[in-house]
Amino acid sequence: MTHAVPGRPRLGAIARKIGGHLVRGLAMIWVVATISFVIIREIPGNPVLGQYESLIQKGMSPEQAERATAVLYGFLPTGNLWQQYVGYMGSLLHLDLGRSLSTPGVDVTTLIGHAARWTVLPVLAGTLLSFLLGVTMGVYAAIKRSGKLGDLLALSGSLLHGVPVYVIGLLLTAIFATLWPIMPSGGPVDVEFVPGFNAGYIGSLVHHAVLPVVTYTLASYGGWILAMKSNVVAVLGDDFILAAELRGLRRGFVFRYLARNAILPLFTILALSIGMLFGGSIFIEEIFNYPGLGLLLVNSISSRDYALMGGTFLVITVGIVVANIAADLLYTVIDPRVRSGGAA
């Protein structure tokens, strides 16, 4: 007779957990896609039908105008609501988000793919830096909570946690791009450098990314240090810490015990934060004129490019859903208590 190994979940439990997450994630994506369809179709003036009628007025036959409009929006402008909806969902299944109106002839997926690379790296860099800094300072803030260092660290977290991200971005721009102009005020790279794997271009990319990354870092730092301090203070009263101190373990070992057990809940928040920052990148990218998903969404709204707007919103939602699933699975892997429970 075989027995489950303690701390190691059975494959069936893992498969059920992943399956449940996928079903919930797909349901959320379907809801957002449906909302995008309704917005595009029912917005005042009905841009889909308006485009169809405009093409007919320009001399196209109804069949040609119908095909051209379907290419732009991903569904036919004629037919009943159900037929249009089925056509739209069919296009999404083929990863066809339509064509951009503000950039004629270019697929929405192409524009989103180009913008995503300018969002992913700053978001990841800023989130990981703020996590590492906040977690480390949170541990010291908890251990030194009765001293001036602990008070100072906690105060820094409280102040930054209450400042909106766009205020941080504007302050950094005013200080380091205007008053003390050592950083570029906007754009992803200097135009004089030829794109490619060369020192000038890469150096310019890094130089332009400093302020956005620092903004992401400072915007998240306060939450991490306060959460970590609270977790460490709670763990300090646990029996295993008291037992470790009674056994005379060195302070370094106790510190690692504290950090390891207090940090576990934050890994879930870390993955969720990465997903949420894709949506929150709107303010930062607009301030620094960084051509990522946030700025693309803002521009699509201002130019009434509904296909691009719906596609960008959908991709941001997919990123949040994937981060949510990754967060829960990551917590299952790193926390032995959850693994044991899953295998029970």
Side-chain angles (χ1 to χ4, degrees):
M1 184 174 65
T2 59
H3 298 276
V5 179
R8 186 173 298 174
R10 290 193 296 261
L11 293 178
I14 296 177
R16 287 193 299 272
K17 194 174 189 67
I18 294 176
H21 282 304
L22 289 177
V23 170
R24 289 191 292 271
L26 290 174
M28 185 178 298
I29 293 171
W30 169 73
V31 169
V32 172
T34 301
I35 293 174
S36 299
F37 167 79
V38 173
I39 290 175
I40 293 173
R41 186 183 180 279
E42 299 297 333
I43 203 165
N46 195 337
V48 183
L49 188 58
Q51 180 72 24
Y52 172 72
E53 294 174 349
S54 174
L55 292 174
I56 290 179
Q57 291 175 2
K58 292 179 180 179
M60 283 190 180
S61 66
E63 292 77 13
Q64 291 173 325
E66 186 178 83
R67 287 195 298 269
T69 307
V71 167
L72 286 175
Y73 290 100
F75 61 93
L76 295 173
T78 57
N80 58 41
L81 179 63
W82 176 251
Q83 290 172 332
Q84 295 181 36
Y85 180 69
V86 170
Y88 181 71
M89 288 297 172
S91 297
L92 292 184
L93 290 176
H94 291 88
L95 302 180
D96 181 8
L97 299 176
R99 297 282 184 88
S100 170
L101 294 175
S102 56
T103 311
V106 180
D107 292 337
V108 168
T109 50
T110 300
L111 293 174
I112 291 176
H114 183 269
R117 63 182 183 179
W118 296 109
T119 295
V120 170
L121 291 179
V123 164
L124 287 178
T127 303
L128 293 178
L129 281 175
S130 66
F131 178 76
L132 295 174
L133 183 63
V135 163
T136 304
M137 294 300 102
V139 173
Y140 281 104
I143 294 176
K144 306 290 185 180
R145 62 187 182 280
S146 58
K148 292 183 178 180
L149 177 60
D151 291 339
L152 183 62
L153 290 173
L155 179 61
S156 70
S158 298
L159 290 176
L160 286 174
H161 188 58
V163 180
V165 62
Y166 60 86
V167 173
I168 296 175
L170 290 174
L171 284 175
L172 290 177
T173 302
I175 295 172
F176 296 106
T178 304
L179 296 178
W180 190 24
I182 60 174
M183 292 292 175
S185 59
V189 67
D190 291 324
V191 295
E192 70 242 32
F193 294 106
V194 178
F197 195 74
N198 58 80
Y201 183 74
I202 295 174
S204 181
L205 286 176
V206 173
H207 192 212
H208 281 257
V210 168
L211 287 184
V213 170
V214 171
T215 303
Y216 282 119
T217 302
L218 294 179
S220 303
Y221 163 79
W224 291 126
I225 187 173
L226 295 177
M228 190 61 181
K229 178 188 175 183
S230 177
N231 288 353
V232 170
V233 170
V235 172
L236 278 171
D238 286 349
D239 293 338
F240 74 92
I241 292 294
L242 298 176
E245 291 177 341
L246 290 174
R247 289 200 303 267
L249 290 181
R250 287 183 299 178
R251 192 173 185 84
F253 286 107
V254 176
F255 183 87
R256 285 200 293 271
Y257 286 156
L258 276 173
R260 180 179 179 183
N261 285 273
I263 203 174
L264 286 176
L266 298 187
F267 276 109
T268 302
I269 305 174
L270 173 62
L272 290 175
S273 298
I274 295 174
M276 294 304 295
L277 275 176
F278 280 99
S281 64
I282 294 174
F283 299 109
I284 296 177
E285 291 177 359
E286 190 170 16
I287 290 171
F288 296 106
N289 194 28
Y290 220 70
L293 290 173
L295 187 61
L296 185 68
L297 181 59
V298 171
N299 291 338
S300 68
I301 294 173
S302 61
S303 62
R304 297 173 65 88
D305 192 341
Y306 300 113
L308 182 58
M309 179 179 64
T312 305
F313 185 57
L314 182 62
V315 168
I316 291 175
T317 302
V318 170
I320 295 174
V321 169
V322 170
N324 198 336
I325 295 174
D328 197 76
L329 295 178
L330 177 64
Y331 196 71
T332 302
V333 171
I334 64 177
D335 193 339
R337 294 167 297 182
V338 177
R339 294 203 303 267
S340 299

